Amino acid sequence: MEDAIGPWYGLDSKNRHYTSIGSAEKKFTVTSKDDVGASIVRLSLLAAGDPNSVPDHVRINGDAKPYEELAEIMGAESGEKIDVTEQDVDEYKASLGPEGGDPAAIIRLLIESGAMDCSKENNGELVNPDQRLWKWKKVEQHAKEVKGKPWCN
């Protein structure tokens, strides 16, 4: 979460402008570093007790929001409106050139495709049943911590 809400994914809080590739209403998963760490520890403990209890591939979802909602949350916390625009997918792909772009560019295309939304299919209940072990950090909490201005320092 702390690294996902930044300009490399078109979330430019400093200039109060978010740009999605395709629809700004597509959700994508953001998970805090603390939640990732706690999940790794929990999965390790589960696997140590019964290796078959942990699947080969695990998805976790701390929170999932679309660009539009991220702009609303961060804007409400900072007191400054964040504009949201949608860039055409084909134009974006063409701008990447034959190499296909850097990892952040590829992730932005994965967000557009829906592949980065783990909100419906994830292993959250295996890792943290009913949030009894800890509460997943939400974007609203992160917004308060950074005063609605992630990566503006």
Side-chain angles (χ1 to χ4, degrees):
M1 180 177 300
E2 299 86 350
D3 291 333
I5 304 173
W8 34 89
Y9 298 136
L11 299 162
D12 187 355
S13 297
K14 185 175 184 178
N15 293 307
R16 316 309 298 156
H17 192 92
Y18 290 2
T19 305
S20 67
I21 305 306
S23 173
E25 295 178 9
K26 285 203 176 166
K27 285 184 179 181
F28 65 100
T29 290
V30 290
T31 304
S32 76
K33 291 177 182 179
D34 287 345
D35 288 346
V36 171
S39 296
I40 292 169
V41 170
R42 176 72 174 145
L43 289 165
S44 299
L45 292 171
L46 289 170
D50 176 8
N52 294 323
S53 70
V54 177
D56 290 339
H57 301 281
V58 175
R59 291 179 176 204
I60 59 172
N61 180 74
D63 205 355
K65 303 285 187 205
Y67 280 70
E68 295 238 336
E69 194 172 344
L70 287 171
E72 290 170 12
I73 292 166
M74 293 300 172
E77 196 60 44
S78 69
E80 299 175 14
K81 184 181 184 315
I82 298 175
D83 294 316
V84 179
T85 58
E86 298 175 343
Q87 185 172 355
D88 180 78
V89 178
D90 292 329
E91 287 177 12
Y92 182 74
K93 286 179 181 178
S95 75
L96 298 178
E99 300 297 316
D102 62 16
I106 303 304
I107 289 172
R108 291 184 76 190
L109 288 172
L110 290 170
I111 290 169
E112 189 281 325
S113 75
M116 299 299 288
D117 179 4
C118 299
S119 62
K120 292 185 175 85
E121 295 182 29
N122 63 68
N123 301 94
E125 284 303 304
L126 170 68
V127 173
N128 185 13
D130 295 322
Q131 296 190 66
R132 288 191 313 258
L133 302 174
W134 74 89
K135 299 293 180 203
W136 296 102
K137 185 175 183 177
K138 300 299 177 190
V139 168
E140 292 82 357
Q141 181 182 348
H142 179 63
K144 287 184 187 321
E145 291 170 1
V146 298
K147 298 176 178 41
K149 297 184 176 188
W151 294 97
C152 288
N153 296 342

